Amino acid sequence: MKVLKFVVLFFCLLTMQSFANNLTLGVDYIILDKPLKDSQNSVIELFNVGCPHCAYYNGLLPMILEMLPQDTKFLPYHLTTASRFHKEFSDIVVVALLKDKHNNTDTKSPNALYKKVLNYYFNAIHKERKNWKNAQLFLEDSYPLINVNQQEFQQLLNSKEAKEILQAMPEAMAYASIQGVPSFIVNGKYMIMSRNIKSLEDLIFKINVLLEK
């Protein structure tokens, strides 16, 4: 991992030298009409558990997070659709994020519980093709990952903190209509144009440049 990080950092530095920290509005990124509240110095990923491209980017996420500045917040926002178990997965992500917060675990940490949740369900859905009979069985798979029982899960989900996150997600997800998922929003107002991401290094470079704007 350290060698890979060095390689990515090396190519990011080359990219920054080549482009002189210049990104093109409308090509590399767009500015959102209505910036998201309380999102300064943050990177938000809009994703959906049923999306194959999101599953691919989930595999790259550890490297992306490792290359973010230490004081930058990362927020994973799940797009809830009418598809089966998508609402339940949003609930699972929120509970995992709260557990991480209570454990003082940064969302960029490789030990974050929400990351275990993403890894498990992306793998179960896209590789194992697992088919849950009902929503309760889908939810129960998350309990050992988050280290909760059913009662604690519901208590966390019904908390004020959980409701605030669940309220913020749809606000951000309104912008998923621009280009779908996965999408990355930097500082609550700059959306990176997914179709023009050339590589992992290019994405990391664009995120870091936009964080400085």
Side-chain angles (χ1 to χ4, degrees):
M1 180 62 75
K2 289 183 178 179
V3 174
L4 183 56
K5 180 180 178 181
F6 174 80
V7 172
V8 172
L9 179 60
F10 175 74
F11 280 104
C12 284
L13 290 173
L14 285 181
T15 306
M16 292 177 72
Q17 290 174 354
S18 301
F19 290 93
N21 289 345
N22 290 324
L23 297 181
T24 303
L25 179 62
V27 176
D28 297 301
Y29 70 100
I30 61 172
I31 300 176
L32 302 181
D33 293 334
K34 183 181 178 182
L36 300 172
K37 295 181 294 184
D38 303 321
S39 298
Q40 185 61 31
N41 201 28
S42 73
V43 176
I44 296 173
E45 182 190 12
L46 311 182
F47 74 100
N48 178 266
V49 71
C51 165
H53 296 295
C54 297
Y56 170 76
Y57 271 95
N58 183 63
L60 302 178
L61 195 56
M63 182 58 66
I64 296 171
L65 298 182
E66 193 172 3
M67 299 300 292
L68 290 178
Q70 186 174 2
D71 60 345
T72 299
K73 294 182 295 183
F74 175 75
L75 301 171
Y77 281 1
H78 181 249
L79 174 62
T80 301
T81 72
S83 297
R84 197 173 185 224
F85 305 141
H86 282 194
K87 179 187 179 300
E88 286 77 12
F89 188 72
S90 291
D91 293 343
I92 292 169
V93 171
V94 169
V95 171
L97 287 171
L98 286 183
K99 282 286 288 188
D100 284 328
K101 182 179 179 180
H102 296 169
N103 294 338
N104 293 317
T105 303
D106 192 284
T107 53
K108 299 192 296 295
S109 169
N111 299 318
L113 296 176
Y114 86 87
K115 194 67 179 67
K116 291 175 65 176
V117 164
L118 265 59
N119 290 343
Y120 172 79
Y121 282 98
F122 272 126
N123 183 71
I125 292 170
H126 296 280
K127 293 184 178 180
E128 297 178 1
R129 305 294 180 183
K130 186 169 183 177
N131 185 25
W132 293 268
K133 291 183 179 180
N134 55 56
Q136 185 56 42
L137 291 175
F138 182 86
L139 285 169
E140 287 177 358
D141 273 6
S142 73
Y143 298 164
L145 300 172
I146 311 174
N147 298 323
V148 296
N149 55 34
Q150 183 176 1
Q151 182 179 1
E152 185 180 0
F153 183 95
Q154 289 301 322
Q155 287 176 342
L156 288 168
L157 186 60
N158 293 330
S159 68
K160 180 181 177 182
E161 291 176 295
K163 291 177 181 178
E164 288 174 351
I165 300 174
L166 287 169
Q167 185 177 359
M169 281 187 179
E171 181 183 355
M173 284 302 170
Y175 290 111
S177 61
I178 296 174
Q179 62 177 1
V181 291
S183 289
F184 293 89
I185 299 175
V186 180
N187 286 343
K189 57 183 177 180
Y190 304 117
M191 175 179 277
I192 295 174
M193 300 301 290
S194 298
R195 67 176 180 270
N196 293 325
I197 296 174
K198 301 175 181 66
S199 63
L200 170 61
E201 296 80 15
D202 182 56
L203 173 59
I204 293 172
F205 162 74
K206 289 174 178 176
I207 288 174
N208 281 282
V209 171
L210 292 172
L211 282 170
E212 296 297 323
K213 287 182 68 70

